[in-house]
Amino acid sequence: MAVSNPSRLAYIDWMRGLACVLMFQTHCYDSWLSPGARQSKFFMYSQLGGTFPAPLFLFLAGISFALVTEKLWKKSLPPGQIARATIRRGAEIFGFGLLFRLQEYLIAWGWAPLSDLLRVDVLNTIGLSMMLMGFVCWLALSIHRGARTRLVLVFASAGTATLISLLTPPLWTTWRPNWLPWPLESYINGVHNLGTPQAWLFPIFPWTAFAFAGLATGFILQSDWARERQTLIFLSAGTTGIGFVAAARWLDAQPRQLYAVYDYWHTSPNFFLIRVGMLLAILTASYAWCRWGPGQWGFSPLIQLGQASLLVYWVHIEFVYGRSSILPKHSQSIRSASLGLLTIFLAMLLLAFLRTRMKGRGSEVLAWFRSPARAS
């Protein structure tokens, strides 16, 4: 696949494809490795890589949301119409998340608990994040429409991301809304039905903050000033990201903390700031890769995966965790699990290739199948 204009959209697909690859390796090793292999440093580092896919997907959802909102905004559509279009798309993604949970429950019929239907997964959170972003953009556009509208949108997005990250620690601990039914509270702090917040789920706090960080970034990247200085703006993004990492480490080292309960690895705003910094650094690297590196050479597996990320996310789960797992679960060596990972990667790459080539060509394929009948 040739990349004709890498600075515009290819870097988004490349980052989304990177998230897919990191997701594959995390899920494959988690599902297939034997108990002994799970004690290795290899497994530890593979799971560390698994901390990136969800922030990447949410951050990129925010950037893409900014692109869509920008397009509608420049058509001079009223804020309410823009909000309806974007919030409707978020509701569709949220519906896909619920449908995915139903599919997984039916496939695992007989051993999956009924509560799995209400698990807060990343698709649910992406959908909710899009609806919340639509509301914030509607509010910003309704309050201010003029020369500084973009600045208002950037500050509203960044401010919402900051607020969500700052509210996360108490909402997981001292301010827990435990008066809510657990299916609703789980969307706040991932409590599920287990009594305490679960770090393996994807509640609004803190995960939606990554989407709003991406939204602010997207509005900046879409400005005329940034478009005229793309190389400078992307290098600045990477530099800012490194600054965020340094600032977060300094804040974490301070003897005084704002919160009664401080959990650096799960709810800390400092850890959120570090991850946003790393996302900005990855953004710069992806731009460079697509602008000057191998992303310009021709077919790009990561870009291909990124163009069908929802489909490969949906399908690979069944072949890794489901009844159709291509390897027996919890019994593999690192070598055999790695071969399984390679198989999943190639299969999902082929699926993404077919998906993008067949998109919008359903009528042509149908006509091709009917043509022999006409000839006879």
Side-chain angles (χ1 to χ4, degrees):
M1 181 183 115
V3 181
S4 59
N5 194 358
S7 60
R8 294 289 294 133
L9 293 175
Y11 68 89
I12 296 178
D13 288 329
W14 191 91
M15 289 179 69
R16 198 174 278 123
L18 174 65
C20 289
V21 172
L22 291 172
M23 174 179 65
F24 295 160
Q25 67 88 24
T26 304
H27 289 168
C28 287
Y29 291 130
D30 178 61
S31 175
W32 295 334
L33 285 181
S34 66
R38 293 172 70 90
Q39 302 301 316
S40 64
K41 287 187 177 180
F42 178 89
F43 177 73
M44 179 190 72
Y45 285 119
S46 76
Q47 299 307 291
L48 185 62
T51 63
F52 282 99
L56 275 168
F57 283 132
L58 285 156
F59 184 74
L60 293 170
I63 292 179
S64 299
F65 195 95
L67 299 179
V68 173
T69 302
E70 174 99 9
K71 183 178 179 180
L72 298 175
W73 167 34
K74 288 194 171 180
K75 290 181 178 179
S76 299
L77 297 179
Q81 189 172 346
I82 296 174
R84 283 193 295 273
T86 53
I87 292 174
R88 186 184 305 117
R89 179 54 179 164
E92 289 174 1
I93 299 297
F94 183 75
F96 282 137
L98 296 178
L99 186 61
F100 177 74
R101 293 262 42 95
L102 176 61
Q103 172 193 284
E104 293 303 293
Y105 177 74
L106 293 176
I107 289 174
W109 185 272
W111 56 269
L114 188 62
S115 60
D116 272 9
L117 287 169
L118 300 175
R119 182 191 301 174
V120 182
D121 214 336
V122 68
L123 272 183
N124 308 62
T125 304
I126 290 175
L128 281 175
S129 298
M130 292 174 68
M131 289 189 276
L132 291 172
M133 288 188 292
F135 173 77
V136 170
C137 289
W138 167 79
L139 193 61
L141 291 172
S142 299
I143 293 174
H144 190 284
R145 296 202 76 170
R148 298 185 179 275
T149 300
R150 184 182 305 280
L151 191 61
V152 172
L153 288 167
V154 170
F155 276 105
S157 304
T160 303
T162 302
L163 181 63
I164 291 172
S165 68
L166 291 174
L167 288 177
T168 296
L171 286 173
W172 278 51
T173 55
T174 55
W175 293 359
R176 267 190 57 196
N178 47 21
W179 44 271
L180 288 172
W182 71 260
L184 295 181
E185 185 187 353
S186 195
Y187 278 96
I188 303 297
N189 55 26
V191 71
H192 200 54
N193 63 343
L194 301 173
T196 58
Q198 303 297 306
W200 48 276
L201 295 178
F202 301 93
I204 293 171
F205 298 87
W207 294 99
T208 297
F210 292 107
F212 277 99
L215 185 64
T217 303
F219 281 127
I220 293 172
L221 295 177
Q222 284 296 103
S223 67
D224 293 335
W225 188 91
R227 289 185 181 188
E228 293 170 0
R229 303 166 178 82
Q230 285 188 341
T231 300
L232 174 62
I233 200 68
F234 278 96
L235 289 176
S236 298
T239 303
T240 301
I242 294 172
F244 282 176
V245 172
R249 288 174 60 86
W250 180 82
L251 288 170
D252 183 62
Q254 299 309 300
R256 293 186 179 181
Q257 299 295 339
L258 293 175
Y259 303 102
V261 180
Y262 184 73
D263 184 350
Y264 174 78
W265 292 105
H266 299 125
T267 63
S268 167
N270 297 328
F271 188 45
F272 167 75
L273 187 60
I274 282 182
R275 290 198 281 187
V276 171
M278 297 179 76
L279 291 173
L280 290 173
I282 293 172
L283 177 67
T284 300
S286 69
Y287 173 82
W289 185 273
C290 294
R291 179 71 182 270
W292 301 296
Q296 274 289 330
W297 295 355
F299 178 80
S300 171
L302 291 187
I303 292 176
Q304 189 70 71
L305 283 171
Q307 292 175 340
S309 57
L310 178 59
L311 178 62
V312 300
Y313 168 82
W314 196 296
V315 173
H316 93 280
I317 290 290
E318 176 57 24
F319 292 103
V320 175
Y321 284 114
R323 293 184 187 274
S324 301
S325 174
I326 65 172
L327 290 174
K329 287 176 274 191
H330 307 303
S331 60
Q332 304 300 309
S333 66
I334 293 174
R335 180 179 179 277
S336 60
S338 298
L339 290 174
L341 169 60
L342 178 61
T343 303
I344 287 291
F345 171 77
L346 294 175
M348 294 303 102
L349 181 60
L350 176 61
L351 179 64
F353 179 83
L354 294 175
R355 171 68 179 90
T356 53
R357 292 305 180 274
M358 299 299 293
K359 187 176 182 180
R361 299 179 61 184
S363 58
E364 296 178 24
V365 174
L366 186 61
W368 185 86
F369 277 109
R370 286 177 176 174
S371 57
R374 292 197 201 98
S376 62

